[in-house]
Amino acid sequence: QVQLVESGGGLVQAGGSLRLSCAASGRTFSSYSMAWFRQAPGKEREFVAAISRTGSTTSVANSVKGRFTISRDNTDNTMYLQMNVLKPEDTAVYYCAAADNSFAVAISLYKYWGQGAQVTVSS
């Protein structure tokens, strides 16, 4: 199986940018579809973005479309989430996750999870 560790979270003002990283170890990184989910206080965990095993296919939630970009580097076993024009409503714990599929967006398909990274956007 795969182990996942997020980094890059923090506090930023509205309109600013952050880049999250997800470092993978264990089984071959390119075997997994990867995704970012987030969970705000008192809310359910929600889909943010996903990327296929090869990186050729991506999907992002409507709420972040045009602002967030997902990418991966299979030679470096790392996935990224570039977040621009951040808004206070983007405040949440961001989780990276891996699924045993070529491409997946459904949270139920994601078996492996990181510990989460806090992103706080001040107004």
Side-chain angles (χ1 to χ4, degrees), residues 28-40:
T28 306
F29 181 62
S30 58
S31 300
Y32 300 97
S33 173
M34 299 294 296
W36 291 97
F37 294 85
R38 67 186 182 185
Q39 188 166 19

Side-chain angles (χ1 to χ4, degrees), residues 30 39 46 52 54 59 67 75 84-85 87 96-97 110 112:
S30 58
Q39 188 166 19
E46 65 175 5
S52 62
T54 63
S59 177
R67 301 188 297 119
T75 64
N84 298 328
V85 194
K87 303 177 181 180
C96 72
Y110 282 84
Y112 310 105

Side-chain angles (χ1 to χ4, degrees), residues 50-66:
I51 188 165
S52 62
R53 288 172 175 166
T54 63
S56 60
T57 302
T58 62
S59 177
V60 295
N62 288 335
S63 58
V64 304
K65 195 165 289 183

Side-chain angles (χ1 to χ4, degrees), residues 77-91:
N77 295 340
T78 305
M79 176 180 64
Y80 302 97
L81 185 68
Q82 178 65 45
M83 304 184 292
N84 298 328
V85 194
L86 282 159
K87 303 177 181 180
E89 51 263 43
D90 294 319
T91 295

